[in-house]
Amino acid sequence: MIKRNEVKIEETWDLTHLFATEQLFEEAIKTVIEEANLIELNFKNKITDAKKVLLVLAAYKNLNEKMIPIRTYASLAYSVDQTDDAAQMRSAKVGQVFAKINADLSFITSELLQLEEAILIEAKNLSPDFAHYIEKLIRKKSYLLHPDAEKALAAFGATFDAPYELYNTTKLVDIQFEQFEVNGKTYPLSYNLFEGDWELESDTEIRRAAFEAFSTKLRQYQHTTAKTYDMHLKIEKTESDLRGYKSIFDFLLYNQEVDRELYNRQIDLITAELAPHMRRYAKLLQKVHGLEIMTFADLKISLDPTYEPRISIEESRAYMKKGLAVMGENYQKMLDRAFDERWIDFAQNHGKSTGAFCSSPYGYHPFILISWTSRMNEVFVLAHELGHAGHFYLANAEQNVFNARPSLYFIEAPSTMNEMLMANYLLENSNDARFKRWVISTIVARTYYHNFVTHLLEAAYQRKVYEIIDEGGSVNASILNKLKRSVLQDFWGDDVEIIEGAELTWMRQPHYYMGLYPYTYSAGLTIATQVSQRILREGNRAVEDWVNVLKAGGTKTPIELAQMAGVDITTDKPLRDTIAFIGSLIDQLEQLTEEIDHI
């Protein structure tokens, strides 16, 4: 794995779009500190009427817009090389500065909610731009603490983020993987190589050896990682109790604007009703690959590994343009800009964050991180992240900084939608049975397995963890391993052997440090599946509705956003229909495999 300074510049993102020089970055920090001080001087203990409400919100909005590129620059520079001392110190500095600013300005929320509600309603009526923000403030009123307590909590912001930072430092800096050996030949190993290549390797001996080597190294860090996670959970539980929520679940779901019913439904229905379909898929993989035993280490392999083409970064651009053409001309221009202006970091290097993500700073273009392996399935990963980019490209242009971001429940709908659109395009443009099987198997193995199985099983495990924490308990490596193993065994039954090391997959997921996030992937894909089917049936009318949903940003609840797109998530019908759709895809894979085997 090469170092960051050895990668090709054209495979990296261009952070100069945020700050051209380090000096400008430092000057921006000074500016926001000064503006925060002015806001405190001008407004603390002085917010008495509707006009003052609007003045302080306008000043706070402008400050937030200036803070966003600072936070983004520090975070993105650190994410591509967490071994970089300068990036570590820059990120730490921003965390400390912003914690102080947030503490100093915590009075804004406290004073606003101490006003009579009639004053807030008057301010809302005077300025529609701030109406949604004020409504959300009023909703939070019963959970607000004393102003001094709010200031203290805000001051500890950087400290409360420490578990996530510790997790990433352990994972991406301290853990050093040795090479592993198969039949006298050695192979390199790292987080990105395992998750991007070795998990998908068609050679069973190499794949299983890589899994064993990877798990052996993870196990050496399980106790530190478990203690870090337990610390994070205790912080969440403490704040939940302090604010008076009935449970930690209610606390974490509050900002998602959904209730426990939607949360539990997603986990319970999929665990019960999707499992039989996915077990069939596992059996099909076992049959095609001639495996005597199907193990957990074999679940990510391709149904037809000899067919999957290799694809260059430039070739991926053509797929994005064609596959997402249905989204319209403005969307196409965004895709061109993403490649031409280096919004995407494709490089693989030591210290880089695993997986893929999209950061969409308000007032700037999005930035996408991915570690390009040249496998065709990366087309779906890139389409996914461009879905996030397209969402905020449109929402940020239409909404103010307070209104642009929707509920976490909805956040994965636009990203998974792009995966479905890409699949629709590929299937519409070929009648070849083998190609159709490859596309459908990729949808199942990449889109649905990743979002409806991997992340859903993480959610089922996470729920068990939070139940322990909510009762006042603690967790350690032994407990977490048992919980993860039980979830995997319940889902896969006797059809997949949950081998040693499978229980350690809880160590690999940063989403556990982001609240109740894992289950939202299946929630988003449920919406995306239904809307993508509607686009196939209705064409431009459905596309126009979807674009309007994206533009709405966070001005609507998840239920309202889904309704705008023609989906009613207040019932279990969309989820059951999506599970049935996955079952029909596996039916097609079984039929196509039988057809191909008899040619």
Side-chain angles (χ1 to χ4, degrees):
M1 186 65 74
I2 61 175
K3 295 181 179 179
R4 181 66 180 180
N5 60 11
E6 297 172 329
V7 302
K8 298 175 182 176
I9 191 72
E10 60 268 24
E11 293 184 6
T12 65
W13 52 29
D14 187 359
L15 297 186
T16 64
H17 296 166
L18 292 168
F19 293 102
T21 66
E22 196 71 21
Q23 181 181 349
L24 290 173
F25 171 75
E26 292 293 337
E27 289 173 0
I29 292 178
K30 291 179 183 178
T31 298
V32 297
I33 292 173
E34 291 169 0
E35 288 199 16
N37 290 337
L38 278 174
I39 291 174
E40 185 176 18
L41 179 66
N42 292 334
F43 294 101
K44 190 170 185 180
N45 299 321
K46 299 174 184 176
I47 308 173
T48 56
D49 55 37
K51 289 184 179 178
K52 282 286 179 64
V53 169
L54 298 180
L55 286 173
V56 74
L57 287 181
Y60 190 46
K61 177 180 79 73
N62 292 336
L63 178 65
N64 268 276
E65 290 175 358
K66 291 175 182 175
M67 291 172 69
I68 285 170
I70 296 171
R71 182 189 296 113
T72 304
Y73 181 78
S75 173
L76 296 185
Y78 183 44
S79 69
V80 292
D81 187 3
Q82 301 201 27
T83 67
D84 185 330
D85 287 345
Q88 289 177 8
M89 292 301 98
R90 186 192 296 113
S91 180
K93 177 180 179 178
V94 169
Q96 290 172 332
V97 169
F98 281 20
K100 185 178 186 307
I101 289 175
N102 290 333
D104 291 343
L105 299 187
S106 64
F107 77 88
I108 296 174
T109 298
S110 297
E111 289 192 28
L112 288 176
L113 291 183
Q114 286 171 354
L115 294 170
E116 293 181 8
E117 193 167 316
I119 294 175
L120 293 176
I121 292 172
E122 181 186 353
K124 186 179 76 168
N125 293 335
L126 285 172
S127 178
D129 283 349
F130 293 129
H132 187 65
Y133 182 80
I134 292 171
E135 286 170 3
K136 291 174 77 172
L137 269 182
I138 294 172
R139 183 170 169 259
K140 279 187 174 180
K141 189 167 187 174
S142 60
Y143 299 109
L144 191 72
L145 302 176
H146 186 278
D148 289 343
E150 291 290 349
K151 182 172 183 177
L153 285 176
F156 276 103
T159 306
F160 293 157
D161 288 339
Y164 181 53
E165 299 296 333
L166 283 170
Y167 167 77
N168 277 322
T169 300
T170 302
K171 174 180 176 179
L172 300 171
V173 180
D174 283 346
I175 297 182
Q176 299 294 317
F177 294 91
E178 293 82 21
Q179 293 182 329
F180 65 97
E181 184 176 318
V182 179
N183 296 326
K185 185 176 179 180
T186 59
Y187 300 87
L189 184 62
S190 70
Y191 249 104
N192 277 320
L193 282 173
F194 178 74
E195 294 184 343
D197 279 308
W198 299 130
E199 257 193 324
L200 314 175
E201 171 61 43
S202 58
D203 187 302
T204 301
E205 279 193 83
I206 296 174
R207 181 178 65 254
R208 291 179 177 176
F211 182 88
E212 183 178 358
F214 185 75
S215 300
T216 297
K217 179 57 68 173
L218 286 188
R219 189 171 284 108
Q220 295 172 11
Y221 291 83
Q222 62 179 322
H223 299 294
T224 299
T225 307
K227 180 57 69 177
T228 301
Y229 183 37
D230 186 58
M231 187 191 318
H232 168 76
L233 295 166
K234 295 293 178 53
I235 291 170
E236 289 181 320
K237 174 60 175 171
T238 300
E239 184 173 356
S240 171
D241 289 346
L242 283 173
R243 294 193 179 281
Y245 288 90
K246 291 181 180 179
S247 74
I248 196 169
F249 294 99
D250 295 306
F251 168 58
L252 294 172
L253 288 171
Y254 189 82
N255 285 336
Q256 293 188 22
E257 300 178 290
V258 294
D259 57 24
R260 292 278 290 277
E261 182 183 354
L262 266 68
Y263 167 71
N264 287 325
R265 176 206 295 163
Q266 210 67 27
I267 297 172
D268 294 336
L269 265 183
I270 296 175
T271 300
E273 299 188 13
L274 182 62
H277 295 306
M278 295 311 298
R279 291 178 189 179
R280 280 197 294 132
Y281 177 67
K283 283 291 187 185
L284 183 61
L285 284 176
Q286 181 180 2
K287 176 184 175 183
V288 169
H289 285 266
L291 300 175
E292 185 176 343
I293 299 172
M294 186 69 182
T295 77
F296 184 78
D298 305 319
L299 286 168
K300 296 288 186 73
I301 55 180
S302 171
L303 191 60
D304 192 351
T306 61
Y307 188 79
E308 182 176 8
R310 310 296 282 184
I311 183 169
S312 69
I313 291 170
E314 189 54 38
E315 287 170 333
S316 75
R317 176 177 184 156
Y319 275 102
M320 296 304 118
K321 294 292 295 294
K322 294 175 182 176
L324 304 176
V326 67
M327 290 296 291
E329 185 179 352
N330 191 30
Y331 208 90
Q332 292 285 293
K333 289 178 180 177
M334 181 211 71
L335 296 175
D336 280 329
R337 288 188 63 195
F339 284 89
D340 292 338
E341 299 174 16
R342 287 174 46 213
W343 296 5
I344 308 167
D345 199 274
F346 293 97
Q348 286 208 42
N349 61 265
H350 181 59
K352 185 175 180 178
S353 292
T354 58
F357 68 73
C358 177
S359 176
S360 300
Y362 189 87
Y364 297 81
H365 65 69
F367 292 85
I368 292 170
L369 179 143
I370 187 172
S371 294
W372 194 257
T373 64
S374 297
R375 292 178 180 270
M376 183 65 177
N377 79 60
E378 296 284 10
V379 166
F380 286 87
V381 180
L382 185 54
H384 178 104
E385 299 307 333
L386 284 166
H388 286 305
H391 184 189
F392 289 105
Y393 182 79
L394 295 171
N396 289 352
E398 296 289 328
Q399 307 297 336
N400 69 39
V401 68
F402 292 146
N403 293 346
R405 193 169 186 83
S407 158
L408 191 64
Y409 184 93
F410 191 82
I411 211 77
E412 295 298 335
S415 54
T416 51
M417 165 63 91
N418 273 17
E419 295 188 54
M420 299 307 299
L421 294 178
M422 184 62 65
N424 289 346
Y425 163 75
L426 292 174
L427 288 172
E428 285 172 358
N429 286 275
S430 177
N431 292 316
D432 179 75
R434 198 173 178 194
F435 181 76
K436 285 185 70 174
R437 183 176 73 166
W438 178 84
V439 174
I440 295 170
S441 67
T442 301
I443 301 169
V444 172
R446 157 59 220 173
T447 301
Y448 285 107
Y449 186 98
H450 187 68
N451 299 294
F452 255 73
V453 180
T454 299
H455 289 318
L456 193 281
L457 294 182
E458 288 164 359
Y461 152 83
Q462 187 185 42
R463 185 171 63 176
K464 290 177 181 290
V465 171
Y466 277 122
E467 286 170 351
I468 292 172
I469 298 300
D470 212 34
E471 292 298 319
S474 300
V475 294
N476 59 19
S478 177
I479 291 171
L480 296 176
N481 288 341
K482 287 177 183 176
L483 292 177
K484 188 63 180 180
R485 177 172 286 276
S486 71
V487 166
L488 293 173
Q489 287 175 331
D490 287 347
F491 188 82
W492 292 110
D494 296 330
D495 294 301
V496 177
E497 183 180 338
I498 308 303
I499 55 177
E500 284 298 313
E503 74 282 358
L504 297 172
T505 52
W506 64 266
M507 295 178 64
R508 294 164 53 182
Q509 186 51 267
H511 291 161
Y512 298 135
Y513 296 83
M514 303 173 188
L516 296 176
Y517 187 16
Y519 91 101
T520 66
Y521 280 86
S522 63
L525 184 51
T526 298
I527 296 168
T529 300
Q530 299 308 306
V531 178
S532 67
Q533 293 298 301
R534 185 181 165 217
I535 288 173
L536 283 178
R537 294 192 305 270
E538 301 178 26
N540 286 338
R541 179 184 171 188
V543 172
E544 287 173 10
D545 285 348
W546 184 243
V547 169
N548 287 331
V549 168
L550 301 183
K551 289 179 178 179
T555 59
K556 308 283 185 183
T557 68
I559 289 174
E560 290 168 339
L561 289 170
Q563 285 173 339
M564 286 176 66
V567 182
D568 183 5
I569 59 171
T570 63
T571 74
D572 61 10
K573 187 177 185 302
L575 180 54
R576 289 186 186 277
D577 287 348
T578 300
I579 292 171
F581 178 70
I582 298 170
S584 73
L585 292 177
I586 295 170
D587 289 342
Q588 292 180 64
L589 288 179
E590 290 173 332
Q591 294 163 7
L592 286 166
T593 298
E594 187 172 341
E595 177 184 330
I596 291 166
D597 287 346
H598 284 84
I599 292 176

